[in-house]
Amino acid sequence: MSHNSARNIVHPALVIIGILLIASNLRGPITGIGPILAFISDDLNLSATQAGMLTTLPLLAFAIFSPLSSGLARKIGLEPSLMLALLAITSGIVIRSAGSTLTLYLGTCIIGIGIAIGNVLLPSLLKRDFPNKVPTLTAIYVLMMGVGATISSSTTIPMLNLANSLNVTAIPDWAFALATTLVLPLITMLVWLPQTSHHTKPATDTADIDSHSYMWRSAAAWQVSGFLALNSFIMYAFIAWLPSILVSNGYSEHQAGYIHGILQLASAAPAIVLIPLMAKVKDKRVLSLIMTILAFIGITGLLMMPQRAVAWVMMLGFSCGGGFILGLSFVGLRTHNAHQAAALSGMAQCIGYLFAATGPIIFGSLHETTGSWDMPLIITAGISIIWASLAVKAGRSAVITHQLNPSDNLPSEQTSNPVINEL
């Protein structure tokens, strides 16, 4: 166990269970809204652009609050900060379920803040308390994110139908369905409560993000950031609108919710497949290119043969989940040390989440303008081709270095051979 930890873990199994439960809350509150987005739009008279904002707002919260999360943990402690994240998610769900347009958007923003804190601090907790088990626990942790999202996506339509059968009148049926997602964060808070008596700090190398302003002038840093940005753009566009696409192609709301859950689970599957495989495949460009090709096939399949949606959605989910893991690995592959990696990670996540936030809005606006889902799918397929070109560049082994020559402050990229520079 890391000497950086200020405490000894008496019950490591309980801590791991708490970590996995927290992870299960980091995607579901967002993805669960997709299957019932049409019901919400109809009830509140939202345009497609306004509806897309319900997926966009949490992503904007990720971009804004992720850099602040480490400072919060240093001030009040890592364990209380994670409890604060759970409180934000829980309170956000309550507010979102009040049934009005204002509370819907306000609650969604608060949920995004809570998830942003959890996204940043959970890896730090793993690094600090379980340094020798990070790859294994990361794989399970990513899988649990997918499981939580799958449960949320698959149960919102049945819960909406339950509200209708019970004649719930206090809040709309869709609000009741969203309120039922409270169960998981409440259970997680009970399990995590014993840990809040500790006020330990994050691992130093995962808590601090050095400025490294030269990173913003590096072609390699922009390639890695662009790879993650396009990956997130595609994923969150389909998180928001896949159920609506499926319903327009003849699927029932229940079937669309089930397939939407498959998307979430498929996005978590690469955590099991890729982590052991990446140690054996030296050229990560091959793996990343495969992920982008799967995305292109999945999107064009939905466009041309929607009756085989399950197969296309599995490909799409696997490609986006795998692309996310590979993108994070590029952060370590292209940097010299933990501080530089943290700087690149901060840049990539900021750009990635900001760009991803436009996905649901652009997707919805194109549908609203054309009256069809064909154009959004065609454009997203084109974006997957651009993603493939970035995969070839972002996955190279050239390392970003800071050019120390006073007359040239621009960064350079070096391979293991210092004589060779790769632009």
Side-chain angles (χ1 to χ4, degrees), residues 106-130:
L106 177 61
T108 299
C109 288
I110 296 173
I111 289 170
I113 294 171
I115 293 176
I117 296 171
N119 277 336
V120 171
L121 298 185
L122 267 192
S124 183
L125 183 65
L126 287 178
K127 175 76 173 179
R128 190 199 65 193
D129 288 347
F130 305 98

Side-chain angles (χ1 to χ4, degrees), residues 83 85 222 244 404:
M83 178 60 82
W222 278 101
S244 299
L404 297 177

Side-chain angles (χ1 to χ4, degrees), residues 134-152:
V134 169
T136 302
L137 289 177
T138 299
I140 302 173
Y141 150 43
V142 173
L143 180 61
M144 285 301 296
M145 290 177 66
V147 169
T150 301
I151 293 172
S152 182

Side-chain angles (χ1 to χ4, degrees), residues 10-360:
V10 180
H11 299 292
L14 186 60
V15 177
I16 292 174
I17 291 171
I19 289 171
L20 299 182
L21 282 173
I22 293 172
S24 69
N25 288 278
L26 298 184
R27 191 178 290 169
I30 301 174
T31 62
I33 208 167
I36 58 174
L37 193 55
F39 295 93
I40 298 172
S41 300
D42 290 341
D43 185 53
L44 298 178
N45 196 28
L46 302 179
S47 67
T49 302
Q50 291 171 326
M53 284 294 294
L54 293 174
T55 304
T56 293
L57 286 174
L59 300 177
L60 292 175
F62 296 170
I64 295 169
F65 286 93
S66 291
L68 306 177
S69 300
S70 294
L72 175 68
R74 288 194 297 271
K75 186 174 182 179
I76 69 172
L78 186 50
E79 295 82 0
S81 295
L82 286 168
M83 178 60 82
L84 188 62
L86 292 169
L87 283 169
I89 293 171
T90 303
S91 60
I93 291 173
V94 172
I95 294 171
R96 186 178 66 174
S97 304
S100 72
T101 303
L102 175 62
T103 56
L104 177 66
Y105 285 110
L106 177 61
T108 299
C109 288
I110 296 173
I111 289 170
I113 294 171
I115 293 176
I117 296 171
N119 277 336
V120 171
L121 298 185
L122 267 192
S124 183
L125 183 65
L126 287 178
K127 175 76 173 179
R128 190 199 65 193
D129 288 347
F130 305 98
N132 299 322
K133 298 180 180 179
V134 169
T136 302
L137 289 177
T138 299
I140 302 173
Y141 150 43
V142 173
L143 180 61
M144 285 301 296
M145 290 177 66
V147 169
T150 301
I151 293 172
S152 182
S153 297
S154 302
T155 57
T156 46
I157 288 294
M159 291 300 100
L160 183 144
N161 294 333
L162 177 63
N164 185 47
S165 64
L166 294 175
N167 294 316
V168 175
T169 57
I171 55 176
D173 293 349
W174 59 263
F176 176 86
L178 292 178
T180 59
T181 59
L182 273 172
V183 174
L184 192 53
L186 287 174
I187 293 173
T188 306
M189 288 171 66
L190 288 174
V191 174
W192 193 249
L193 188 60
Q195 307 302 326
T196 57
S197 59
H198 304 288
H199 297 269
T200 51
K201 296 180 180 180
T204 302
D205 57 354
T206 56
D208 296 324
I209 298 180
D210 289 351
S211 61
H212 288 286
S213 59
Y214 65 87
M215 207 59 91
W216 293 82
R217 302 190 299 273
S218 166
W222 278 101
Q223 289 160 8
V224 173
S225 300
F227 180 86
L228 280 168
L230 293 185
N231 176 90
S232 298
F233 179 96
I234 294 171
M235 183 64 181
Y236 281 98
F238 281 98
I239 283 176
W241 293 113
L242 177 62
S244 299
I245 295 171
L246 295 173
V247 170
S248 71
N249 281 289
Y251 290 86
S252 68
E253 286 86 0
H254 182 79
Q255 289 171 325
Y258 172 74
I259 296 173
H260 192 258
I262 291 176
L263 174 71
Q264 313 304 324
L265 196 58
S267 69
I272 300 174
V273 177
L274 283 181
I275 287 181
L277 187 62
M278 284 170 64
K280 300 178 182 179
V281 179
K282 293 183 178 180
D283 193 343
K284 304 300 186 293
R285 292 176 295 184
V286 174
L287 292 175
S288 57
L289 192 59
I290 290 173
M291 295 302 120
T292 61
I293 292 171
L294 285 175
F296 179 80
I297 294 172
I299 295 168
T300 53
L302 279 173
L303 179 65
M304 301 177 68
M305 297 179 64
Q307 66 272 22
R308 298 284 184 264
V310 172
W312 309 132
V313 166
M314 289 178 68
M315 285 187 185
L316 181 62
F318 191 91
S319 71
C320 289
F324 181 69
I325 292 173
L326 285 162
L328 293 181
S329 75
F330 296 160
V331 171
L333 181 69
R334 305 301 297 269
T335 53
H336 277 294
N337 52 53
H339 290 293
Q340 194 183 45
L344 179 55
S345 178
M347 173 183 172
Q349 288 194 52
C350 179
I351 294 171
Y353 284 132
L354 287 175
F355 193 67
T358 66

